[in-house]
Amino acid sequence: MKKKVLGLMSCLLVIISMGFTAKAYAAYQTNYIDFSFTIKPKQKNSYTETRYRQTTDRDRAWFTQLTSSGEGWMTYTRFWLEKSNGENVSKAYNVQAGGAKSFNSAYSSASKQRVRLTAENNNYNNASYPCYGKWDEETAYIISGRQLLHRP
């Protein structure tokens, strides 16, 4: 009887451990969340809804991909992460319309925080235009120095 109970407890422990591992892995999947907003004139900010960035690793990359811009193909728009109170929690990066995904690190102040993707025109002018793309507040990628590493 003791062997049966120990065997069942061992099986239960393995199942529970597998559940925690799956949950931890799922947290660092790279998601492709659509965004769509109008870039405002004179570098006024536009932004998405907030998402929870659960990592404490500042090198766990967030990404932006600008698939389309009303300003034109191969033009740039500036993106960064910020909290809903307007505090910047990453550097700003110019992302090219129709270009590759831009993976970037965040500040430690982005750890375990709700953050949003924020954008502005990279030029100070009266232009206003729509832009569309995808983003994720944390991905399965790590930035080490200037190199992007994959670590699921």
Side-chain angles (χ1 to χ4, degrees), residues 8 25 27 31 35 41 47-48 62 68 73 75 79 87 91-92 94 104 108 110 112 118 128 134 151:
L8 287 173
Y25 176 74
N31 300 305
F35 70 82
Y47 44 83
T48 64
W62 62 277
S68 177
W73 186 67
T75 59
F79 293 91
E87 177 189 347
K91 289 181 183 177
N94 288 333
N104 304 293
S108 57
K112 297 202 176 285
T118 305
S128 177
K134 299 191 180 299
R151 187 176 83 185

Side-chain angles (χ1 to χ4, degrees), residues 93-142:
Y93 298 91
N94 288 333
V95 179
Q96 192 172 40
K101 295 179 191 89
S102 176
F103 289 90
N104 304 293
S105 60
Y107 300 150
S108 57
S109 55
S111 298
K112 297 202 176 285
Q113 297 291 319
R114 292 196 67 79
V115 298
R116 62 189 181 192
L117 179 66
T118 305
E120 70 182 11
N121 190 335
N122 66 312
N123 299 304
Y124 189 83
N125 59 32
N126 289 322
S128 177
Y129 57 90
C131 69
Y132 309 92
K134 299 191 180 299
W135 79 292
D136 192 0
E137 80 286 349
E138 67 183 356
T139 69
Y141 292 86
I142 297 292

Side-chain angles (χ1 to χ4, degrees), residues 21-30 60 139-142 149-152:
T21 302
K23 184 177 179 183
Y25 176 74
Y28 295 120
Q29 288 182 15
T30 302
R60 183 157 300 276
T139 69
Y141 292 86
I142 297 292
L149 307 175
H150 183 61
R151 187 176 83 185

